[in-house]
Each structure stands twice: as C-alpha cells, then as structure tokens.
Amino acid sequence: MGEVMDSGSEQPIGPILIAAIACIALALFGVGLATVAGVFIVWVGSIFLANARPPQIESQPDTDIISSKSMGKLIKHSAAPLLVIEGGKVTLASRSAQRLLGKHIIGQDVRMAFRQPQAIKLLNKQKSGLAIIKGLARRRDIWRMKLQKIDTSMSVIELTSLTAEADISRAHTDFVANASHELRTPLASIIGYVETLREDGTGLDSNTSKKFLETIHREAQRLEALVSDLMSLSRIEAEKHDEPSDIIEFGKLIEQSARDAAGADRLDRVKFEIDDTLQIKGDAQQIEQLVRNLTDNALKYGDPEKPVSLQLAEGKEGQARFTVTDRGAGIDPQHLPHLTRRFYRTDPGRSRAAGGTGLGLAIVKHIVERHRGRLDIESQLGEGTSVIVRIPAVAGEVDQVS
Amino acid sequence: MAEHTVKAFDEDITRLRGLIAEMGGLAEVALQDALEAMARGDETLADKVVAGDKKIDALESEVDKLAVRIIALRAPMADDLREVIAALKIAGVVERIGDYSKNIARRIGQIEDRKRFEPLTLLPAMGELAGEMVHDVLTAYAARDPDLALEVIEADNKVDAFYDSIFRNLVSHMVENPATISSAAQLLFVARNIERIGDHATNVAEMVHFAATGVYPPDDDD
C-alpha cells in the first residue's frame, strides 16, 4: 500500500482544502467540535484512500484489456484462419477467416460458417479434435479443422488448407490422359511425312516434297504451341491457390495485350471501350495471357469483316467487368457448357486449321479462377459471342496492400 | 439484422438458421457423394447416400417445429416473419434436394456396362454445376447476400443447357444401341434429377433474395 501511495502523484491538496472549508462551515453552523473533527478525519482519510486507489484501479482493467481486446487483435491479424466460438456462436474471426467464410459469420450460429457434416460432428462432440472438411468456401477445397476447447462454452477453431496437395494428384492423371492424345496426332503426321520423304525422297517432285515439308513445319509449330499452352496451364494450376497480390492497371494491360495479340494486320478490327481507372489484384503475366487468348479467339472465330469490341467497365459490387464481343457465327448453345474443358472443340477441323490448341479457354478459366473471378460465355447463333470476365476490383481505399 | 429487445428471439432465429445450414451441408454432401458414386459405380457409397437422407428429413422436421414455435410464441412481424417463413420453405426445398440425390444414388446399381457410356462423362460435369449452385445458394443464405442469389439464378441456365445437351446425346445413344436402352433411361432420370436440383437451388435463391430484400428477383426470361 505504501508503495502505491508513493507512486501516487502529488498530495491531494485541493480536496483537503475543500474538506477543511466544509468542516469550518459545519462548525460555524454550530455542529459539535468533536463531530466536526470526526467528519474531517474520515473525509481526509477517504481522500487519501481514493487518491491511493487510482493506480490500482487502472491496473485492474489493464489485465482485462490485455486478455480480451488484444486477444481479439491477436486473432484478427493471424495469417491462418482462426475463429473463436462461444456458446455455439462465432464471436471472433481472424481477417483471413472472414475472407474465407465471409464477414457475416460473426455473431451467427457456428453452423452458418461450417455447415459440412464432418465439421458439425466435431462441433457437437464438445471436445477438442480434428476433422477434415470438404467444400468449405469453394466446392472442391479441403481443409483440416482443428478445434481446441478453452472452457465449457468457448473454443478456438484453426483451419489449414489441404486443397493444394489433393489437387496435384488429380491434375496429374487428367493431364496425362488428355495430353497424350493431343500430342500424338501432330506427331503421327510428322513421322508419317518424314518417313515418306526419306524413303522416296529422290522420287518425289520438288512441289510435292515442298508441300510435305510445309505440313511437317505446320504440325511441328502446332506441337510447339500445344506444349507451351500445356506448360502455362500447369503453371497456372500449380499457383491456383495463392491469390495474386500485385495491383495492376487492368485497362492499360488490356489495351497493350490486345494490341500484341491482334498484331499490325488485325489491329484495325479491335475497338476499345476501356475504363482505365480500374485496378485489380492480379498476376500481370497471366492477365495478359487471358486478354491475348480472348482477343485472339474473337478475331479468329468472329467474322473477319466485323470489329471485335473489348470493354472494361465497373460491374456490380466493385467488380471489374471485362467483355470481349465478336460478331460472327456464334456458338451453338449445346456447346456452351463444355467450352472451357480442355481440348473441347465445337468444330475440330476449323479449330485446328486456325491453329488452335484447344486449351485457350481452359487457360482463361484457370486464370479467372485464380483471380477469384467469374467467367461467363454468352452466344447467339448467327450474331456473335461475348465472353465476360469479372474480377474483384481493388477498392479506392488502401486496405491491405502490404 | 438489428437486435431485438427480446434476446430469446434472436437466439431462436440464429438456431433456426443454423439448422438450415446444417441441413444444407448434408444435402450438399449427399449430392456430391451420389455423383461420385455414379462416376465410379460405387454402390456402397450410394447406399450411404440413401441412408443419410433420414438425417436430412429429421432436421427438416426440427426446423418445422422450431419455426412453428417461433411464430406461435413470438408472433414475428415484417422482416422477422419473412425470415421465418423463408426458413420454413427453404427447409422443404433443401429436403427435396436431398431426395433427388437419394434418387440418383438409387439408380446407380441399375446402370449396366458403365464403361461404354459416353454420356457418363457429361453427367459429372453437369452435377458439378448443380453442386456449385447448391453450395453458392447456401452461402448466399448464410450471408443474406441477394447478389450471390441472383448469380445462382443465372447459373440455372447453364444447367438447363447441359440437360438439353445430355438429353439429345442419350437419345441418339439409345437409337444407335438399343441394347442399352434401359441403362440409358436410368441416366436420363439421373440427368433429370440433377436438372431438378438446379431448379430447386434457384427456388432457394429466390427465397434468399426475398428474405433479404422483400422483393422477388425479376424474371428475365419468358
């Protein structure tokens, strides 16, 4: 106590003076001296006590502030998705958890955040444990959920993503199955022509052998395009789960990449309508590839006499909406659901003749997915096709650029 | 949603929504398992889906009871009433989604010669889309997000397009291989069930939109 008194600032002269004046006034009003003296002593004593207390009172809630407020802060900034559950409701969630499950979960029944049966089983068990849950935020993701009981009503949930590991094995088998077929076709014709040339190289007239060599050259180029597309596809897939963090000027990038894709001879067909204030978080190289693929598709499959329009505007709820529209034959609606599948072609002959690998839209789809966006294709037979890419735009406020 | 003076009302609503989320989670998994069982011809997994439907039904009756109790005891008004009614209806629809998944699972044993079926490669892709709709609509319900609900409604067109494509595909398959008609017919029903699941997800999306905004989303087609 003495120590606390010492640490207390100056002597409380003001209050003592007030007490003295009040007691003198009491004495003047004719109250007994003994009573006045008693009142004065009690008053002054209480002033000293009150004066001594503040540091103590301050230190008391101080520990409380540490435990609740800074726990909230601690959890809020944790990189791993963390949630605190109290009495069946989510009371705290780290920013990463809010990004994963939505901001609405705070204050809601915990089942709003975790509706997966395995998760509910773990939550109902009323003790610490682990569960593997599928389809938490997106449909194909896999998470490990670790529940730690703190006391009877409170528990902490920690989430770890296992999606990437599970994906690798699946992607691998798909890749081998599809790619080997597509790679074999051009190889077969290269080998065939080379064998013909080698066997009767002297017997062929120069025109025919020239034609053969051209075919070999074309097929080899196709193989090269295919291999490079496959490589970028697998690269994008590998990175699918890390959200890009660079801020890029979407409009500027679109113009530049579309010009590259069109080349000098097709550039006059490209019409831009770009809102160049929009920024997105993205991987510049991949976005460039996305724009290039879409522009090239539109130029290739649209009517060669008609323009192709590239539009960038602000869409609903802060999204950047990028639309590529061509006017031409359009796509039969029955093909629409399959367009983004690898090696799917509406007209194999035409696509191959135009030098397509069958991977362009699959690459676009993967890029869009990595950027947490959406890809939609609308088409009207005989009118043309619109490909719409929506990617969350970076809001004006500089929120979490770091 | 603003808090109510009667705390117990908030508790009830939270619990009601929690129950629906739990139901939705089960329905989502049922659909996913049914599709996986179909792709692999896994009859044990199919049996699991059929058995799991009881749990969804039990939860639905729990939602019903709670909703009726809330209405009887608290006499909710305006958006509170909308919330409870929506919950009641959504529970019914989610239960239907569970039933369709069960139907899909039931048919798996009756598809013979699965290896040769080309349409079998299309069905999982269609199921994937429908599954995504169910997932999104449940998220939209949890977040009271009318925009996501609208997206689900739009996505139904894609499922319908898939259905048309699969239907044509299966019919021509039947014409060419009359021996497989009975299996192909089963697949047709599976496709139909998936298509219905898409429609039901759309229904839920409309109710989510209604519960959040008080108006039904505009009909853009027809």
Side-chain angles (χ1 to χ4, degrees):
Chain A
M1 200 62 188
E3 263 179 49
V4 177
M5 287 274 272
D6 285 345
S7 68
S9 48
E10 311 131 33
Q11 297 295 328
I13 295 167
I16 295 174
L17 268 177
I18 294 173
I21 290 165
C23 287
I24 291 166
L26 279 179
L28 284 179
F29 278 110
V31 180
L33 250 173
T35 324
V36 172
V39 167
F40 183 73
I41 288 165
V42 171
W43 194 328
V44 172
S46 72
I47 287 168
F48 271 101
L49 276 177
N51 192 43
R53 207 160 282 155
Q56 216 183 0
I57 288 169
E58 253 173 64
S59 72
Q60 194 80 37
D62 218 31
T63 53
D64 264 350
I65 286 170
I66 284 174
S67 61
S68 67
K69 225 187 202 169
S70 48
M71 185 165 101
K73 267 191 203 153
L74 215 96
I75 285 185
K76 195 172 175 194
H77 295 287
S78 124
L82 270 181
L83 295 100
V84 176
I85 312 295
E86 213 175 334
K89 284 191 200 168
V90 180
T91 49
L92 279 173
S94 71
R95 235 190 243 166
S96 44
Q98 289 183 29
R99 222 173 305 140
L100 183 73
L101 300 164
K103 284 197 168 59
H104 61 275
I105 55 169
I106 294 173
Q108 292 271 4
D109 192 304
V110 60
R111 284 175 293 188
M112 296 313 273
F114 301 98
R115 58 171 178 265
Q116 291 67 23
Q118 299 93 329
I120 287 177
K121 217 161 135 197
L122 176 65
L123 289 164
N124 286 344
K125 253 198 231 151
Q126 297 295 336
K127 53 180 176 186
S128 304
L130 280 174
I132 304 291
I133 45 179
K134 289 179 190 167
L136 183 61
R138 318 186 116 224
R139 262 200 87 238
R140 286 283 165 202
D141 60 5
I142 300 174
W143 291 81
R144 184 172 54 220
M145 174 178 173
K146 190 177 158 215
L147 184 124
Q148 188 70 50
K149 276 253 152 221
I150 292 177
D151 55 41
T152 45
S153 72
M154 203 196 248
S155 43
V156 175
I157 290 175
E158 189 189 344
L159 296 166
T160 322
S161 173
L162 303 177
T163 318
E165 293 156 42
D167 263 10
I168 289 169
S169 60
R170 216 188 54 216
H172 197 73
T173 43
D174 278 9
F175 169 83
V176 174
N178 289 326
S180 49
H181 169 73
E182 290 288 329
L183 290 170
R184 200 181 294 144
T185 327
L187 264 183
S189 60
I190 291 176
I191 292 171
Y193 281 111
V194 168
E195 274 172 359
T196 320
L197 281 174
R198 211 173 60 173
E199 271 163 28
D200 12 56
T202 45
L204 289 172
D205 63 272
S206 65
N207 249 352
T208 319
S209 58
K210 204 174 152 201
K211 224 167 84 189
F212 280 10
L213 282 171
E214 264 163 22
T215 313
I216 293 171
H217 186 228
R218 200 177 54 235
E219 292 295 316
Q221 273 177 330
R222 230 184 87 199
L223 263 183
E224 195 191 7
L226 195 60
V227 169
S228 80
D229 269 5
L230 278 173
M231 274 169 68
S232 49
L233 194 59
S234 71
R235 218 175 15 239
I236 296 161
E237 275 219 314
E239 293 173 334
K240 184 160 82 174
H241 302 290
D242 353 314
E243 226 175 313
S245 56
D246 297 345
I247 304 241
I248 54 178
E249 307 272 341
F250 200 8
K252 224 178 266 170
L253 195 64
I254 289 175
E255 272 188 56
Q256 195 185 342
S257 354
R259 275 176 216 282
D260 287 349
D265 48 336
R266 298 190 294 183
L267 188 58
D268 53 330
R269 278 178 62 205
V270 184
K271 301 275 172 281
F272 293 101
E273 261 174 75
I274 304 283
D275 172 358
D276 50 14
T277 58
L278 283 168
Q279 292 182 322
I280 54 168
K281 261 196 216 169
D283 180 320
Q285 208 184 344
Q286 289 183 0
I287 294 290
E288 193 188 319
Q289 188 167 21
L290 176 148
V291 176
R292 260 203 328 253
N293 283 1
L294 290 180
T295 314
D296 189 51
N297 271 354
L299 288 166
K300 221 155 49 185
Y301 301 121
D303 189 326
E305 304 298 316
K306 300 268 173 65
V308 163
S309 89
L310 270 63
Q311 222 178 8
L312 177 67
E314 198 176 335
K316 280 187 289 194
E317 46 183 310
Q319 280 175 322
R321 190 186 148 105
F322 172 48
T323 316
V324 179
T325 311
D326 67 54
R327 251 148 268 154
I331 303 164
D332 191 328
Q334 66 162 321
H335 292 302
L336 285 179
H338 313 293
L339 286 177
T340 55
R341 284 166 58 185
R342 289 170 201 198
F343 304 120
Y344 185 88
R345 292 182 171 95
T346 57
D347 180 348
R350 186 181 69 157
S351 161
R352 292 223 171 87
T357 59
L359 288 172
L361 276 177
I363 290 176
V364 168
K365 182 185 154 208
H366 275 95
I367 294 177
V368 173
E369 270 179 11
R370 186 182 166 213
H371 288 79
R372 308 298 187 257
R374 282 174 62 96
L375 173 71
D376 286 294
I377 303 171
E378 287 165 6
S379 189
Q380 202 93 49
L381 267 181
E383 303 255 323
T385 307
S386 290
V387 183
I388 303 142
V389 173
R390 282 178 285 173
I391 294 177
V394 176
E397 86 222 69
V398 190
D399 186 23
Q400 22 187 289
V401 184
S402 62
Chain B
M1 205 173 264
E3 275 189 24
H4 293 85
T5 322
V6 183
K7 270 279 186 319
F9 182 76
D10 285 326
E11 297 283 321
D12 282 351
I13 291 275
T14 313
R15 213 167 87 74
L16 189 65
R17 290 171 59 82
L19 279 172
I20 289 194
E22 187 177 348
M23 265 186 95
L26 283 170
E28 214 179 306
V29 169
L31 173 60
Q32 204 163 324
D33 284 352
L35 292 168
E36 204 175 313
M38 190 189 57
R40 293 204 312 242
D42 183 341
E43 288 186 40
T44 17
L45 186 59
D47 291 343
K48 209 186 100 194
V49 174
V50 175
D53 193 52
K54 286 211 182 70
K55 182 93 209 283
I56 300 182
D57 294 351
L59 277 170
E60 193 209 359
S61 73
E62 210 176 314
V63 168
D64 279 2
K65 266 184 239 157
L66 183 59
V68 169
R69 222 188 58 161
I70 292 175
I71 295 175
L73 290 183
R74 320 256 178 234
M77 305 289 262
D79 57 343
D80 297 333
L81 182 61
R82 226 154 54 208
E83 177 86 46
V84 179
I85 297 287
L88 206 55
K89 287 164 90 177
I90 290 172
V93 177
V94 171
E95 193 267 336
R96 290 297 297 149
I97 293 178
D99 282 350
Y100 284 123
S101 308
K102 187 174 73 177
N103 282 349
I104 294 172
R106 279 220 179 108
R107 292 180 193 281
I108 289 165
Q110 294 163 28
I111 301 166
E112 297 152 7
D113 254 354
R114 42 188 323 105
K115 286 259 161 4
R116 289 205 321 231
F117 264 117
E118 192 219 324
L120 259 176
T121 58
L122 288 179
L123 276 173
M126 179 182 179
E128 186 76 13
L129 267 179
E132 216 159 276
M133 284 175 72
V134 174
H135 180 93
D136 284 354
V137 82
L138 290 169
T139 309
Y141 177 69
R144 303 179 207 267
D145 180 347
D147 294 320
L148 185 58
L150 283 180
E151 276 179 26
V152 172
I153 294 170
E154 275 168 33
D156 193 41
N157 291 336
K158 287 192 207 163
V159 175
D160 291 349
F162 245 116
Y163 177 66
D164 290 344
S165 156
I166 288 175
F167 182 85
R168 243 172 286 163
N169 205 313
L170 275 169
V171 169
S172 57
H173 190 90
M174 286 189 204
V175 172
E176 286 156 22
N177 316 286
T180 61
I181 282 185
S182 75
S183 297
Q186 297 291 350
L187 286 184
L188 213 49
F189 281 119
V190 171
R192 178 77 189 151
N193 280 331
I194 299 176
E195 194 262 340
R196 293 299 297 150
I197 287 174
D199 288 349
H200 279 304
T202 311
N203 283 344
V204 177
E206 282 169 2
M207 288 179 238
V208 168
H209 192 276
F210 180 73
T213 61
V215 288
Y216 278 106
D219 262 341
D220 47 9
D221 47 11
D222 58 54

